[in-house]
Amino acid sequence: MPMKNKLIIATFLVSLSLLVDEIALTAIFYVLIGQLNTILAISAALLGFSLSGVVVYVRTTPLRKMRPERSSFQLLFWFACVTAASTVAVMNIPLNHADFFYTPGFAVNAMKVIAYLIAAAPFFVGGVFINEAFCLYPEGISQLYCANLLGAATGCLLSIFLLGLAGPAQAMLYSCLPAALWFYKDAFTRGARGPHLLLLPGLFILILVSCFFYPLLDIKKLNSMGELRHTRYRAFTASKKDVEFGRWSSDGWTMIRSPRAPQLWENFKGWGLSAEFRGKAPRIKLINYNSRFITYVTEFRGGFSDIKEWLDSDLISLHYQIGRRYDKVLNIGAGGGREVLNALYHGAGEVTAVDVNAVTVNDIMKGHLREFSGNLFFHPKVRVIVDEGRSFIERSREKFDLIDFTIVGGLNNEKIELLSTDSLFTLEGLAADIDHLSEKGVFSYVMYSLSSGLLSDSMIKGGRTTAPFVYIPAVKTLTGLRSVLENGHPDRLLKDRVLIAGVPGVIDKNYDLIHIIVSKAPFSGPERERFIKKCRELGFIVFYPPVNTPANVYAEIVEARAYSDLSRLFPYDTAAPTDDKPFQYSFNRVRAARTLQAADFLKNFLYDPFVFNGIIFGALSFLLLCVPVARSSWIQNTPYPIHSIPAIALFFTFIGCAYMMIEMSTIMKLQIYLGKPIYAVNAALFTFMFANGGGSYSTKGLKTKYLKRDIRFIILGIAASGTLFYLFWSPIVLHTIHLPIIFRMLIAFASLFPLAWLMGMLFPSGVKLAVMNGKGLIPLAWAVNGCFSVIGLFAGRVLACHWGFNSVLLWGLVAYVLAGAAITFHRRKPLPFGSGAYR
């Protein structure tokens, strides 16, 4: 087989493995590190890629003096070894996500940095191989880059299967086997011999054998948070005996701790159980998601006599205490079925239970805990559906008497999250909820939110706050409900249709558990009286109607004459999130900056973990790129024309930033349309990788003479197709969201394909431009592209928080236009391949 074909196949297999690794790391990082897992996993990958380009660029051994077999296929061997070793090392770092919040310190953060560096190692070695392949066969860059992208697209599909089958650690191990086998095929064909060839199979055998005696690839550290109202963090080393049930899936890790292990919440009896409750609580089993969040399963024996007092003594049951009967109930985020039990006890004729986690529904509630839960999800009145709540509601044609959300969404709506978005309670989502209520239907919402006392204090003190952002989902949801109910309906006032109560100090003294009940028809006087009476009996705070309670933020929102009145009262933005800005945090640093000293504002701005991590990763990437490149190019006087480097560097800078911005914004747009977050991530990544590959292959016919002109035409096409996607995606969603998932995936694929195809043409076209001045510039282009992809990833997140995902998409298009402007300064210096001017 010709060498170039071997390189193409090897590039495909390495890229396949690396994409599986990247997705698997997001799942692992979610458990080990917690927030920001996806961005940090991608950043670690891009950092490894960038460094590989730098190393190849500044290496001292000229490429032409190295045998192709040694410079390429031996790297496949080391790639498989490093991937296996990196997987084992990451899984054995004793980290727990809660360490960063409750026991922060140098040691914890040092281990986090070590985890990033270890995770980046396979991407570094894989990147070195790909760079070497590009340099060995620069005239075939279109085919090689196509193989790189198609391998990633295949890995995207394969990752869903591997994560569900074996879990992320095993997926990383299995994914590198094809590349390893390709190495051995080539080695044996060439007659290679030597004891070093036994290293890789020996390493895999050692790992597999060790797993029988020690949980080598399991999570090593779990945590307990103590009591709900008296939190006390502690961590402990986990063993297999501590896990009663555990399964990885494409959504993440779902587990039940054994009774012998400390639970995430000790003596748990319910989220908002009244302190006045003196009865006996039923047995409960906690289901953990990614070791961070829980739902709970109640022991149920078919009758309600022994649990009815417990059911009715919880804040989350107040909508059943006002005297209304709900025949048709929709419960979003059904989890372990607590709200399903509530609906059945209170006489519901039909309960539709929707949950995004298939393991909870199918493996636990219908399997492992079927008898414990009293066959709850097989009850004749219960219909259980595995789906994302917003997507289900948008596609449903039914009307419900009650739509029930209890601590769902927020930071838990994505098991593999990208930006901690929450599309359930945007203005568009709330409008869909209200539209799906019957004439006297009720919307019930329970969520944690910053303490009403703290919110009211900042309001009373004239709008001074030192917080760069605050988590106020209940406030924003209430504002959204008022907007949905009253806009265009002057006779439909929220104050006639809302009841609000809360429990202070649950989990954290600075947060309240808030229950908002909104009726499509006005509440009657007796209903309000029953609500107030029940709250007094159970010791809950009544926020609305404000009966003998101090002024509070919720009453202000309900009774304000207009939203403009609220904007003058608060130092933060209480406006409801939208699908374009689906964040339950208040990001309003422009107004905050007016009330803070510059030093305080800067300190609090940097407190944002995305900003802080973005600066750290961006600075690290920039240093790793610039220092070696400067040393190689200027100190060592490499043969490249100095005038060619800035134009090439700027071009790959802009396309690196632009690509990540557009990809990130489209993933978030697909989430609402496709439902489960994992569908959106994989559908977007597959579409981009597959179409990019086709675009890359199509550039093989581009002529050097017209290359700058062709690049400008490609960028013009990107700007046009991106603008069309920006303009028409929302109408497409509106008219097709009711279709089955397979048709929605096809529509998403077709909508993104033209844009992604053109985006895939730019990297190989830019490489051909760089090769005019020497093929050793190829790894420099790769390094610059990877470095600024990291910066673009974090910059896009910050832009999304403040201005929305549409702005991120538009800024990405602007960056592509700037890339087109950058090549104007490139000076053509064509040299024949094989010339002595090349390294």
Side-chain angles (χ1 to χ4, degrees), residues 732-754:
I732 288 172
V733 172
L734 181 66
H735 291 94
T736 62
I737 197 169
H738 63 280
L739 296 175
I741 183 65
I742 185 63
F743 293 109
R744 282 179 282 137
M745 283 189 167
L746 290 173
I747 290 169
F749 181 84
S751 300
L752 285 176
F753 190 85

Side-chain angles (χ1 to χ4, degrees), residues 139-143 695-703 764-765 768:
E139 61 271 25
I141 184 65
S142 299
Q143 295 97 312
S696 173
Y697 190 80
S698 70
T699 63
K700 68 176 184 176
L702 296 183
K703 303 297 183 183
S765 300
K768 290 185 176 185

Side-chain angles (χ1 to χ4, degrees), residues 150 179 439 563 583 692 696 708:
L150 292 181
E439 197 172 312
Y563 176 72
F583 306 104
N692 287 168
S696 173
K708 290 171 70 172

Side-chain angles (χ1 to χ4, degrees), residues 528-576:
R528 290 173 178 270
E529 290 173 5
R530 280 191 286 270
F531 174 79
I532 294 169
K533 180 182 178 182
K534 194 66 180 179
C535 287
R536 286 174 174 169
E537 288 176 1
L538 297 175
F540 302 146
I541 299 174
V542 179
F543 289 115
Y544 201 86
V547 182
N548 299 324
T549 56
N552 65 83
V553 64
Y554 302 103
E556 291 286 347
I557 290 172
V558 172
E559 297 185 345
R561 288 177 299 175
Y563 176 72
S564 58
D565 296 337
L566 293 175
S567 65
R568 290 190 292 268
L569 287 173
F570 299 108
Y572 36 78
D573 186 7
T574 60

